[in-house]
Amino acid sequence: MTTVSLTINGDRRQVDVEDRTLLVDLLRETLGMTGTHVGCDTTQCGACTVILDGKAVKSCTILAVMAEGAELRTIEGLADGDTLHPMQQAFCDNHALQCGFCTPGMIMAAVNIIERHGTDIDESLVRRELEGNLCRCTGYHNIVKAVLDVAGKLPRASE
Amino acid sequence: MMYAFSYHAPISLSEARKRFEESEDAAYISGGHTLLPTMKNRLAAPSDLVSLGQIEELQGIAVAEGCLTIGAAETHASVAASDAVTGRIPALAGLAGSIGDVQVRHRGTIGGSVANNDPAADYPSAVLALDARLHTSERVIEASDFFQGVYTTALEPGEILTKVGFRIPDTAGYAKMRNPASRYALAAAFVARFGDSVRVAITGASEDGVFRWTEAEERLSKDFSAGALAGLTLNEADMNEDIHASRGYRAHLAALCTRKAVELQGRLTLL
């Protein structure tokens, strides 16, 4: 066993893991933080997306020990009590989820798009940046709308 | 679940080499975006993983004497965003930005891609077309000697790729047809122009991995235009065939990508 020290959603944590433990399994199995999902377990679907040191990554393809010293953010860290994060609210407002399985990964990827690009984004950038997140329900249109909504780039009905 | 192994994160090249030698069956890991999926499938089961992520000699991007040198541990995202790369060889920045998806680009590294020599990987084509020198923990290897067939390179067991030094061309272009699901290249061409000399490297298409298309180079050296390639075809028998594309289709795509890379120099083109 190896002790990994990292910050998760602002809390400093020390966790004992086997070296072969995946980061997503540290979250889900060791810490019981099941908001981060495992869809494909093959680096394709993006359901396991978390933000590691400011970058969206797929936590099914990173060893927990590789996150030593890192700052990690997950879906559980977004809302402030009962108040949803603006991206979560935008997903609700724009009907950007149906079954919801891909949603935690979508939202973490989407939050990271705004963090890295600011609000100067357009539809083609959002679609390109979401290539690593698969959704089998929505057809993506409303997900893209939700991200543009947060950036203030959505035409309003009144306009 | 993967078989158990011991993980090490050395901070120097010599420490990494030593750890590798002292382990029963070690593997180096950088971004891990090829190795970890392989281990999850139990197609690889190293006793020890030696991380290259904390070693300073493998980091950084620098320009000197007509050469753009990229540390092996630089991620695809950092290469794509580097001013030195976008300014000197925009097609190479475009190539890096077209690998996988954004999450993959945040972890995957140039050194991992080059050392693994996947037949559908992007970087090997740039290494060949830009006449790169591969710096390792032991020596410098010329691009023409480095790739030795699918998943095979000149690297000896334990030898670490540290930097890739690309010759800066007058202009270069990269054109790729992606598998729409995996985003690996079904076929792609990197075309670089150095004065009257032209180098063309094809990836994704051949059974033997990346290769230089010398017939196309000869024609383009005399007349650098897509028209100069008219009628020139690759031998279908040398191409790869799988559920994604037949030999004939790959030969067609490789030739098409070459023409596009000639027409659209200075950038990435996705077909």
Side-chain angles (χ1 to χ4, degrees):
Chain A
M1 298 289 263
T2 299
T3 303
V4 180
S5 304
L6 73 169
T7 304
I8 304 178
N9 299 328
D11 296 330
R12 295 181 69 122
R13 307 292 288 260
Q14 286 204 331
V15 193
D16 291 329
V17 294
E18 277 191 86
D19 286 3
R20 63 175 162 174
T21 305
L22 297 169
L23 182 58
V24 71
D25 290 330
L26 176 149
L27 291 170
R28 291 180 56 86
E29 307 295 333
T30 312
L31 299 176
M33 296 172 67
T34 54
T36 303
H37 290 174
V38 179
C40 68
D41 201 16
T42 56
T43 337
Q44 297 180 69
C45 80
C48 66
T49 298
V50 296
I51 301 175
L52 186 70
D53 288 332
K55 292 171 183 162
V57 297
K58 294 181 177 178
S59 60
C60 80
T61 311
I62 295 176
L63 299 172
V65 290
M66 295 173 106
E68 170 65 33
E71 192 200 322
L72 181 67
R73 283 181 293 143
T74 70
I75 190 75
E76 288 92 342
L78 290 186
D80 180 11
D82 290 339
T83 307
L84 293 178
H85 182 281
M87 191 63 74
Q88 292 172 308
Q89 189 61 52
F91 268 61
C92 294
D93 295 344
N94 291 282
H95 304 286
L97 59 142
Q98 289 181 27
C99 88
F101 192 85
C102 73
T103 309
M106 280 288 178
I107 289 182
M108 297 314 286
V111 165
N112 196 234
I113 292 173
I114 304 286
E115 286 172 348
R116 287 181 290 108
H117 295 278
T119 53
D120 187 21
I121 58 174
D122 58 19
E123 180 181 339
S124 75
L125 181 141
V126 172
R127 287 189 180 274
R128 197 162 65 85
E129 289 268 336
L130 287 177
E131 280 181 347
N133 292 77
L134 300 183
C135 172
R136 302 290 78 163
C137 306
T138 65
Y140 301 100
H141 292 304
N142 287 352
I143 293 171
V144 174
K145 270 173 67 183
V147 183
L148 292 171
D149 194 4
V150 169
K153 293 289 163 64
L154 207 58
R156 294 285 159 203
S158 57
E159 286 176 15
Chain B
M1 181 181 261
M2 291 179 280
Y3 289 110
F5 55 83
S6 297
Y7 176 83
H8 314 279
I11 57 168
S12 74
L13 213 47
S14 57
E15 194 189 334
R17 286 290 275 129
K18 188 158 172 281
R19 181 64 78 174
F20 186 95
E21 299 302 337
E22 288 173 354
S23 301
E24 187 190 334
D25 181 22
Y28 293 118
I29 185 166
S30 187
H33 271 45
T34 297
L35 182 57
L36 291 177
T38 309
M39 291 170 65
K40 284 158 87 173
N41 285 333
R42 296 190 164 184
L43 296 171
S47 64
D48 295 76
L49 283 188
V50 181
S51 171
L52 302 177
Q54 313 294 321
I55 301 172
E56 210 180 314
E57 292 108 305
L58 272 62
Q59 290 162 12
I61 299 175
V63 177
E65 294 169 4
C67 188
L68 171 70
T69 302
I70 301 177
E74 292 294 334
T75 62
H76 309 321
S78 63
V79 173
S82 160
D83 289 339
V85 185
T86 54
R88 284 355 186 261
I89 318 178
L92 182 63
L95 175 153
S98 75
I99 298 171
D101 53 56
V102 68
Q103 291 99 320
V104 168
R105 293 193 291 273
H106 281 152
R107 297 294 296 183
T109 65
I110 181 173
S113 170
V114 172
N116 191 49
N117 193 18
D118 187 298
D122 294 271
Y123 270 121
S125 66
V127 168
L128 269 190
L130 295 172
D131 197 16
R133 308 186 87 192
L134 294 308
H135 300 255
T136 80
S137 51
E138 321 297 317
R139 56 189 166 140
V140 178
I141 307 171
E142 301 296 332
S144 51
D145 299 325
F146 188 79
F147 299 111
Q148 303 187 343
V150 173
Y151 298 115
T152 309
T153 70
L155 291 169
E156 297 288 339
E159 187 173 11
I160 299 170
L161 180 64
T162 57
K163 291 183 191 308
V164 182
F166 295 98
R167 260 178 76 199
I168 298 173
D170 298 332
T171 58
Y174 183 60
K176 169 164 72 162
M177 176 71 177
R178 299 188 295 180
N179 176 321
S182 74
R183 299 203 163 76
Y184 271 96
L186 280 178
F190 202 105
V191 176
R193 197 176 183 187
F194 300 87
D196 292 336
S197 159
V198 177
R199 293 171 70 99
V200 178
I202 306 290
T203 190
S206 164
E207 264 189 349
D208 298 324
V210 68
F211 68 97
R212 278 176 67 188
W213 190 6
T214 49
E215 293 86 352
E217 292 178 352
E218 284 163 19
R219 291 199 186 188
L220 291 169
S221 297
K222 293 183 193 121
D223 172 13
F224 193 79
S225 71
L229 298 171
L232 188 65
T233 54
L234 283 155
N235 185 358
E236 285 185 22
D238 298 333
M239 298 295 110
N240 188 22
E241 184 159 69
D242 55 26
I243 58 167
H244 306 297
S246 66
R247 293 177 206 282
Y249 185 43
R250 277 200 165 84
H252 167 76
L253 285 177
L256 178 63
C257 287
T258 306
R259 293 198 296 275
K260 287 292 173 192
V262 170
E263 275 173 6
L264 300 164
Q265 287 274 288
R267 53 171 285 195
L268 160 80
T269 303
L270 296 176
L271 302 180

